[in-house]
Amino acid sequence: ELARPSPPLPHPQDAIDASWRAALESNGRLFDGSKFRLAALACADEGDGARLVLRLGMTGYKEYLGTNQAPREQRLRLAADGERLHGDAGAFLSNALGCETVLVTADGQIALLRRSSAVATHGGLFNGPSGHPEPSRARVEEEPDCAAAAEAAARLAVEELFDSVTQETHEETNVPRAALLPPRCIGCMAAADEHGCVGKPDLLFVTRTTLDAAAVRAAYEQGAAEGWESDRLAFFPADVRLGEGGVELTPVTCCALLEVARHLTAGQSDTELRRALEAWGDEVRAELESGEPDAGAPGPAAAPPREAGTGPRG
């Protein structure tokens, strides 16, 4: 569901402009691309299962840095004003919707990337391929002018939510899109800092590749379009426990791996994902032989790759 724009910010625009100028001075790769704003989410019971409903609006990376990434005092003031004026602590936050996937190889390894010093946040921490769905790629930056247009825009937005995960994985690892199976959405999260300030939301996915860990490493070392975002590729077993090996993870990555672990130990919940994560190699080989990859998501046709270095994704 695409929503109308969020209410005007209750503080001077120059605060956002100042934070943006400072960000550009430290990282010239940044640009103010359009992003989806998560206004609300809910689960709708449809009898044969639950359906995740996202209410989306529009925002930009500049607004995200100037609100969700603003100093703590400013974020607390924005949250208080949103609660007081609209009954919603996030009303005046960008809440740019991100995405991250757990990339699992054909031989059962989880691929993680160490974020470089060139990215805007969490440099030095490990995460999976991540970024933001792009309204411009979905062609939904303009507000729909009728119900039919709104329905069509919502379908395009959903396709972009899934396709962006595949595209981010390709651009950050150099694994060909043809070697990536359709991603499966496994959850949604929003990190909170030590003061209880809630950060931006992220959709969590699992993506399987038909390549084994050695082939993924070889592809990565050949050079990825967005290889500047990371400085190391590492592999871990699919049943890795958080905290093992002294690897520092981003909050989003911690949630994604915890969600995968929950599925692995949840008995009857989502048996398809459980089976896939317990026997990656056999299942991927079977899919290659049959030529029928798992339709785990409404994946659209392959999209042309984004240009290298077109801005922050994580």
Side-chain angles (χ1 to χ4, degrees):
E1 299 177 359
L2 292 179
R4 293 185 178 277
S6 57
L9 295 171
H11 66 122
Q13 178 66 30
D14 57 12
I16 293 179
D17 293 337
S19 68
W20 183 245
R21 286 193 299 270
L24 287 177
E25 289 177 0
S26 62
N27 187 351
R29 293 180 181 269
L30 301 181
F31 80 105
D32 186 20
S34 63
K35 308 296 176 190
F36 288 110
R37 178 181 186 272
L38 181 61
L41 61 82
C43 283
D45 187 357
E46 297 189 339
D48 58 347
R51 180 169 63 100
L52 180 64
V53 179
L54 305 178
R55 186 166 180 263
L56 302 176
M58 298 296 163
T59 184
Y61 199 73
K62 177 179 175 179
E63 288 183 352
Y64 162 65
L65 288 184
T67 59
N68 288 90
Q69 291 294 317
R72 174 178 176 263
E73 293 75 13
Q74 186 175 336
R75 280 182 289 141
L76 288 175
R77 186 166 64 251
L78 289 172
D81 287 345
E83 187 67 41
R84 176 173 56 85
L85 297 174
H86 299 280
D88 178 9
F92 297 126
L93 298 176
S94 166
N95 284 343
L97 180 62
C99 62
E100 178 165 332
T101 192
V102 176
L103 177 61
V104 185
T105 66
D107 52 348
Q109 300 293 302
I110 291 177
L112 294 178
L113 299 161
R114 188 171 66 185
R115 296 170 65 83
S116 72
S117 59
V119 295
T121 60
H122 300 304
L125 303 186
F126 280 86
N127 70 343
S130 62
H132 296 87
E134 305 284 352
S136 60
R137 292 187 71 230
R139 305 182 300 281
V140 295
E141 292 180 293
E142 301 296 328
E143 184 177 347
D145 56 4
C146 64
E151 183 177 348
R155 287 197 300 270
L156 290 171
V158 169
E159 290 181 355
E160 170 61 10
L161 294 181
F162 284 87
D163 189 65
S164 64
V165 177
T166 299
Q167 188 66 13
E168 295 291 352
T169 303
H170 165 62
E171 291 181 347
E172 295 182 14
T173 66
N174 200 38
V175 171
R177 285 183 60 111
L180 297 170
L181 301 181
R184 177 185 294 275
C185 184
I186 58 172
C188 184
M189 62 82 66
D193 65 17
E194 66 273 20
H195 307 292
C197 293
V198 177
K200 79 177 185 69
D202 284 88
L203 289 175
L204 308 177
F205 295 84
V206 167
T207 300
R208 288 180 285 167
T209 175
T210 56
L211 304 183
D212 61 17
V216 171
R217 182 177 296 282
Y220 177 79
E221 291 178 349
Q222 289 175 3
E226 293 185 352
W228 60 271
E229 293 187 357
S230 64
D231 57 21
R232 181 185 170 191
L233 172 68
F235 295 92
F236 302 88
D239 59 353
V240 63
R241 294 178 181 271
L242 294 184
E244 285 186 350
V247 176
E248 293 187 84
L249 307 173
T250 70
V252 181
T253 306
C254 287
C255 285
L257 293 179
L258 284 171
E259 190 62 19
V260 167
R262 186 182 71 82
H263 280 286
L264 285 173
T265 58
Q268 298 301 314
S269 69
D270 203 341
T271 56
E272 288 185 2
L273 181 60
R274 179 183 176 87
R275 183 176 67 252
L277 288 173
E278 288 176 336
W280 286 104
D282 292 342
E283 186 166 339
V284 169
R285 280 190 289 273
E287 287 169 356
L288 284 173
E289 292 171 358
S290 68
E292 298 179 355
D294 176 24
R306 299 187 183 98
E307 296 179 1
T310 52
R313 295 288 189 264

